[in-house]
Amino acid sequence: MKDILTALWNYRHFIFSSIRNDLRSRFARSRLGALWMILQPLAQVAIYSLVLSRIMATKLPGIDNRYAYVIYLMAGMVAWSLFAEVVTRSLTIFVENGNLMKKMSFPRVCLPFIISGSALINNLLLLMTAMGLFVLMGHAMSLAVLWLPLLIVINLAFSLGLGLILGVLNVFIRDVAQVMTVVLQLLFWLTPIVYMPNIIPERLRVVLEFNPMMHMVAAFQSVILYGRSPDFGALSVVAVAAVALLLCSLVLFRRAAPEMVDVL
């Protein structure tokens, strides 16, 4: 574990430059450039809002703002987009960079941290844009938003830990990426982003409690929409799971790294 952390520190300049190059390459020859990082999730929010805002607005008690559902939806999408991007890109990061891993000598563990850094920048831009829109909608931010950095760190750690495990497994079992594409779609609808938990029957709501992203999304919505501190009981469980996943993923990567290049 110490060797991995030392390698990450020694190659920190390589990681930062790779993050910059990754962001540039994703929007090369695009007129709107980095704006696509913001426009795509906002377009998704707009579609759901147009279809469901009148139905779901009545399910948000205690909120007078007529844009309450839009704010609720955007807060959930900010949390989900970071998780989904890190996990999705981590799934194929080693497979896609197989030639690079064979030709260059560098710590392979840098790769998932590069995509995590890129995803984090995307997510921060989306968050800042969303908060600007909230102000235009007449929704004042409270001091509860000071919890957002902690929520983002926990979300990123959980996503990176899970993504690194799946990325390593996908090197040896290529079906993992295909299966996870379906699982992520299912998990999105099992997470109260588009709908509220109070519309789910009580017996089914107990099942949703086992979904870590439900608690993560609820924490973002609590801080941004309701101006309240997150539920620290549920958040602490997600934080412990994030640390456990991150440690397990690094151990798994260290053991599998010598064989990964041969398989690729």
Side-chain angles (χ1 to χ4, degrees):
M1 188 65 63
K2 182 180 179 181
D3 295 340
I4 292 177
L5 296 176
T6 301
L8 289 172
W9 175 254
N10 292 337
Y11 280 79
R12 62 191 183 278
H13 299 298
F14 169 73
I15 294 174
F16 293 145
S17 63
S18 297
I19 291 173
R20 183 174 61 251
N21 293 335
D22 178 73
L23 291 171
R24 287 177 178 174
S25 64
R26 290 177 64 184
F27 303 101
R29 300 183 181 180
S30 171
R31 292 183 180 274
L32 295 180
L35 283 176
W36 285 116
M37 296 186 295
I38 301 170
L39 293 177
Q40 290 172 350
L42 289 184
Q44 191 174 5
V45 168
I47 293 170
Y48 287 131
S49 298
L50 288 172
V51 175
L52 298 172
S53 59
R54 291 189 177 182
I55 300 173
M56 293 298 181
T58 59
K59 306 296 182 180
L60 284 168
I63 304 295
D64 297 329
N65 194 317
R66 62 174 178 167
Y67 298 109
Y69 175 68
V70 178
I71 298 169
Y72 174 91
L73 182 57
M74 289 181 69
M77 289 298 295
V78 167
W80 176 262
S81 64
L82 178 60
F83 168 77
E85 182 175 357
V86 171
V87 173
T88 300
R89 296 190 65 191
S90 295
L91 276 168
T92 57
I93 186 66
F94 299 118
V95 175
E96 291 175 352
N97 291 276
N99 291 331
L100 181 65
M101 293 170 64
K102 293 177 181 179
K103 295 178 181 178
M104 289 185 60
S105 177
F106 67 98
R108 283 30 174 175
V109 75
C110 291
L111 292 175
F113 282 86
I114 290 170
I115 63 168
S116 296
S118 176
L120 177 61
I121 293 174
N122 294 350
N123 193 251
L124 291 177
L125 289 174
L126 176 61
L127 176 61
M128 289 187 293
T129 302
M131 293 185 73
L133 291 175
F134 296 158
V135 173
L136 293 177
M137 294 174 185
H139 180 68
M141 295 290 105
S142 71
L143 291 177
V145 297
L146 296 177
W147 289 109
L148 283 175
L150 175 62
L151 299 182
I152 292 171
V153 168
I154 295 174
N155 194 9
L156 182 63
F158 180 82
S159 307
L160 178 58
L162 179 60
L164 183 52
I165 290 174
L166 294 172
V168 172
L169 293 177
N170 190 56
V171 172
F172 302 96
I173 309 172
R174 298 298 171 87
D175 292 336
V176 171
Q178 306 302 323
V179 172
M180 283 305 301
T181 300
V182 178
V183 170
L184 285 174
Q185 292 177 354
L186 178 61
L187 188 61
F188 175 82
W189 291 105
L190 290 177
T191 305
I193 300 173
V194 179
Y195 58 89
M196 292 79 187
N198 57 9
I199 71 173
I200 304 297
E202 187 67 32
R203 64 181 184 279
L204 297 179
R205 207 180 307 169
V206 175
V207 178
L208 295 183
E209 292 290 333
F210 292 95
N211 176 7
M213 285 309 297
M214 173 183 174
H215 304 295
M216 197 74 255
V217 166
F220 274 80
Q221 292 164 341
S222 177
V223 166
I224 294 175
L225 177 61
Y226 296 102
R228 299 195 300 251
S229 300
D231 181 351
F232 292 107
L235 190 62
S236 61
V237 173
V238 180
V240 171
V243 173
L245 279 174
L246 202 52
L247 292 176
C248 290
S249 66
L250 293 176
V251 171
L252 176 63
F253 174 83
R254 183 174 182 179
R255 293 184 177 181
E259 301 177 13
M260 287 173 59
V261 176
D262 295 333
V263 173
L264 292 169

